[in-house]
């Protein structure tokens, strides 16, 4: 069964696209009519990009959990909403039906209420990939609390910064998390993050590993005890209920922190209605999801991909979402392929970095696996190189599954540019065409539209979007000016993506990568300034400069140039100390892949580091480093070049 808002042909794509641009209000009203509103909106769209102020479905009242759960109950109560595959393949699978999901979310909403959480309060969630993470997220949404999920790989310091920025008073965590053959002590990290914190009132701890944890009286409480108590409150005579808070369409749904070009992560804020419409609409259309299909998105819910395409998008569409706790290479590199066979997965959505990593194990892990259930493949997070695309197409898709290359960002809520599986054509390495409602434009440094083709017949420049789509970020938490400056001020009246792109004669877009000081490491965004700040925290470091370089598996690796003035250890020990410092300040994901000690950095007379030169050296370029005439000390470049590792 398909959806009323599902695009079913190439022709329909073009007519829908045109409608969405000619009359966005009529187009998005028709889509929104397929959802459950406690009260319909007064006005579909009001906006300006100068403040910015963007309001979708103004005056509308709804609760996203009623759309993701309750409205499916009459027809789908016993259908699986979430299938959970544990880290250890020997452990029991859990299948969460829509009825069970409803009960657990109501219970957890009651737990939050019992502990004093109110609409608008910020709840920080730091958990492993267990179904309880989805219950926690949806429980918050049920009562109108604003969740802020933090990926389990972030350090105590990162959590402390985010708690402070969000002024969070509540935390939901696990004792520990399983990740391959490792156990991550999540509660212990939270304990460290809370040293000196005066705001957090309650920490709810779900038992996953039953590892020893410290539980502070009056503050730390067990998930299981709370849920058991709440069960009696929400269930009467076998009927489960917990009223869903009436939310304004523009009330914030969640905060998700992401790196930018400054040292401090930004709390991207998405609002209830627009986010729901955008994730559901894009989910159904790009994957061509049909009722009953099993959708497997391999991301972690700690990132936007997991928010939008494991939890909200699929559930808003009444889909079956497979949630995986483990990693692709444990107990062996056939783990994804086993899961596909075991659960008869129809849609696989993963990152190019995972594909390249699994490719590197050769054919052996593919032998004997059953890929016959697969209908659609997808990629997200970074540009996919053609070699990986073809490997994915031939070995996993058996040349029989469309591959969608979905380009989007934390700030966009869901996909903006992608082919639609089997409907619009794919082009390897290209995100291809914008979804309805998305109006991309390629501009030059000054913000003028590029109209002249380059030597390859392409339009090439910086990628912006001309008008709001329902899922565009509304603000950055606690600092609206930062949102304006970051996204809406570079070019007047345009949303600036921070990406470069090229456009071919058929209107297809290829994303060429970030044009700001943001790295994309294994599909995760990390700002160079953030890594530099962390490196500079090490006592022996005088100064540092961080750039990206091409990495076979990760896409980009982190290359750090460091001026060091300490006396402890040899170079390798110093490297390890610096890496550990970065892991403590940010998290293991931000550890530099290469650290080169230098005596100076190439700077202009005004003291600005010439990153362009450093980037070229890290990329292995020895000639053509560009103009160095403005450098204070050109000689330092030769030294750095000679010392390249
Ligand atoms: C940045 C956003 C989108 C969820 C995961 C990452 C890059 C994302 C693609 C793609 C080329 C891509 C961009 C973007 N990116 N998808 N299909 N092709 N590049 O979310 O952490 O917010 O990062 O990831 O550079 O700006 P994020």
């Amino acid at each position: 069964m398909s959806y009323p808002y599902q695009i079913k042909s190439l022709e329909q794509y073009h007519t829908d696209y045109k409608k969405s641009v000619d009359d966005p209000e009529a187009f998005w009203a028709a889509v929104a009519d397929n959802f459950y509103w406690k009260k319909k909106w007064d006005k579909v769209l009001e906006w300006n990009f100068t403040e910015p102020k963007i309001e979708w479905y103004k005056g509308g009242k709804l609760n996203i959990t009623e759309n993701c759960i309750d409205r499916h109950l009459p027809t789908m109560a016993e259908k699986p909403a979430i299938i959970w595959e544990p880290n250890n393949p020997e452990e029991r699978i859990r299948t969460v039906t829509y009825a069970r999901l409803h009960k657990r979310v109501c219970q957890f909403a009651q737990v939050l209420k019992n502990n004093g959480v109110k609409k608008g309060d910020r709840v920080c969630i730091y958990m492993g990939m267990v179904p309880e993470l989805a219950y926690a997220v949806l429980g918050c949404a049920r009562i109108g609390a604003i969740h802020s999920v933090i990926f389990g790989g972030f350090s105590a310091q990162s959590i402390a910064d985010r708690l402070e920025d969000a002024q969070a008073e509540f935390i939901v965590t696990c004792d520990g998390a399983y990740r391959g053959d490792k156990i991550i002590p999540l509660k212990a990290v939270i304990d460290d993050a809370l040293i000196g914190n005066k705001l957090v009132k309650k920490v709810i701890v779900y038992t996953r590993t039953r590892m020893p944890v410290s539980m502070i009286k009056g503050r730390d409480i067990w998930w299981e005890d709370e849920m058991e108590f709440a069960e009696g409150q929400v269930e009467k005579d076998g009927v489960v209920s917990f009223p869903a808070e009436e939310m304004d369409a523009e009330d914030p749904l969640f905060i998700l922190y992401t790196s930018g070009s400054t040292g401090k992560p930004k709390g991207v804020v998405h609002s209830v209605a627009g986010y729901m419409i955008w994730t559901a609409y894009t989910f159904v259309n790009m994957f061509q999801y049909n009722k009953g299909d099993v959708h497997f998105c391999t991301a972690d819910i700690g990132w936007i991909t997991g928010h939008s395409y494991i939890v909200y998008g699929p559930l808003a569409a009444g889909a079956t979402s497979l949630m995986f706790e483990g990693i692709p290479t444990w107990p062996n590199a056939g783990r994804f392929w086993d899961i596909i066979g075991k659960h008869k997965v129809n849609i696989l959505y993963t990152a190019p970095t995972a594909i390249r990593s699994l490719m590197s194990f050769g054919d052996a892990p593919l032998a004997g696996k059953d890929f016959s259930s697969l209908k659609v493949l997808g990629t997200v997070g970074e540009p996919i190189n053609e070699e990986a695309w073809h490997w994915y197409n031939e070995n996993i898709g058996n040349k029989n599954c469309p591959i969608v290359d979905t380009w989007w960002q934390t700030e966009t809520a869901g996909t903006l540019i992608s082919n639609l599986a089997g409907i619009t054509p794919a082009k390897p390495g290209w995100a291809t065409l914008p979804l309805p409602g998305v109006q991309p434009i390629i501009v030059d440094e000054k913000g003028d539209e590029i109209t002249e083709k380059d030597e390859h017949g392409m339009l090439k420049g910086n990628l912006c979007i001309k008008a709001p789509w329902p899922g565009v970020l509304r603000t950055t938490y606690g600092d609206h000016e930062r949102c304006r400056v970051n996204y809406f001020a570079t070019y007047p009246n345009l949303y600036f993506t921070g990406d470069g792109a090229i456009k071919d004669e058929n209107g297809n877009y290829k994303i060429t990568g970030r044009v700001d000081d943001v790295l994309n490491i294994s599909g995760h965004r990390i700002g160079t300034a953030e890594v530099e700040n962390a490196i500079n925290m090490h006592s022996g470091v005088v100064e540092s400069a961080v750039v990206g370089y091409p990495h076979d598996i990760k896409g980009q690796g982190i290359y750090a140039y460091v001026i060091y003035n300490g006396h402890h250890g040899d170079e390798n020990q110093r490297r390890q100390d610096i890496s550990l410092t970065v892991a403590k300040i940010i998290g293991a994901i931000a550890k530099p892949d290469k650290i080169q000690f230098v005596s100076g950095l190439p700077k202009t007379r005004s003291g600005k580091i010439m990153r362009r030169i450093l980037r070229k050296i890290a990329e292995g370029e020895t000639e053509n480093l560009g103009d160095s005439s403005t450098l204070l000390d050109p000689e330092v470049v030769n030294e750095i070049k000679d010392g390249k590792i």
Side-chain angles (χ1 to χ4, degrees), residues 83-98:
I83 299 173
W84 180 73
E85 171 70 27
N87 179 61
N88 183 342
E90 312 281 302
E91 202 184 324
R92 190 174 60 89
I93 296 163
R94 290 164 65 186
T95 300
V96 184
T97 61
Y98 272 95

Side-chain angles (χ1 to χ4, degrees), residues 1 4 22 27 56 65 147 157 159 176 179 238 262 271 284 319 341 402 518 559 611-612:
M1 209 188 76
D22 292 347
F27 186 84
W56 282 94
T65 69
H147 59 74
Q157 182 64 53
I159 298 167
R179 241 183 102 73
T262 68
S271 59
V284 163
V518 171
Y559 198 115
R611 283 163 195 287
R612 176 174 48 80

Side-chain angles (χ1 to χ4, degrees), residues 57 140 202 285 326 386 392 434 509 511 543 575 622:
Y57 307 108
C140 288
K202 286 277 153 70
N285 280 299
E386 292 205 20
Y392 199 31
Y509 291 86
I511 312 303
E543 199 182 358
R575 285 195 180 96
T622 49

Side-chain angles (χ1 to χ4, degrees), residues 283-477:
F283 170 75
V284 163
N285 280 299
M286 67 190 183
F287 298 123
Q288 287 294 304
Y289 185 87
N290 287 305
K291 280 273 165 82
D293 286 347
V294 176
H295 169 73
F296 177 19
C297 167
T298 69
D300 191 290
I301 294 175
W303 307 108
I304 190 70
T305 310
H307 281 62
S308 300
Y309 298 120
I310 296 177
V311 182
Y312 286 111
L315 297 178
T320 297
S321 182
L322 195 150
M323 183 174 171
F324 173 43
E325 183 186 40
I327 57 171
T329 49
W330 191 85
N332 58 61
R335 189 70 170 106
F336 278 1
W337 322 136
D338 286 332
I339 293 174
I340 289 165
K342 184 165 161 188
H343 297 284
K344 305 260 173 295
V345 168
N346 303 111
I347 302 164
L348 173 66
Y349 189 38
T350 194
T353 186
I355 297 169
R356 288 190 298 265
S357 152
L358 294 172
M359 244 170 92
S360 74
F361 288 86
D363 290 342
L366 299 167
K369 307 294 177 193
D370 178 11
F371 295 109
S372 61
S373 57
L374 285 174
K375 295 197 284 199
V376 173
L377 303 176
T379 66
V380 59
E382 48 172 322
I384 183 163
N385 49 310
E386 292 205 20
E387 192 193 355
W389 194 96
H390 288 292
W391 185 88
Y392 199 31
N393 183 39
E394 285 155 30
N395 294 280
I396 310 306
N398 196 21
K399 295 191 188 162
N400 221 351
C401 301
I403 299 178
V404 292
D405 179 344
T406 67
W407 171 81
W408 55 294
Q409 313 177 298
T410 303
E411 295 84 348
T412 71
T415 300
L416 296 195
I417 304 183
S418 173
N419 50 319
L420 309 180
I423 302 288
T424 65
K427 182 169 173 178
W430 290 64
T432 75
L433 299 172
L435 270 90
V438 178
Q439 301 182 48
I441 172 171
I442 296 187
V443 301
D444 63 17
E445 295 294 310
K446 295 202 296 288
D448 294 327
E449 181 161 14
I450 304 261
T451 48
E452 256 174 57
K453 294 182 177 156
D454 69 3
E455 67 272 27
H456 310 288
M458 304 287 173
L459 302 171
K460 183 168 193 264
N462 294 342
L463 181 62
C464 294
I465 313 288
K466 278 192 268 191
W469 60 100
V472 62
L473 88 161
R474 300 302 196 267
T475 190
T476 45
Y477 192 80

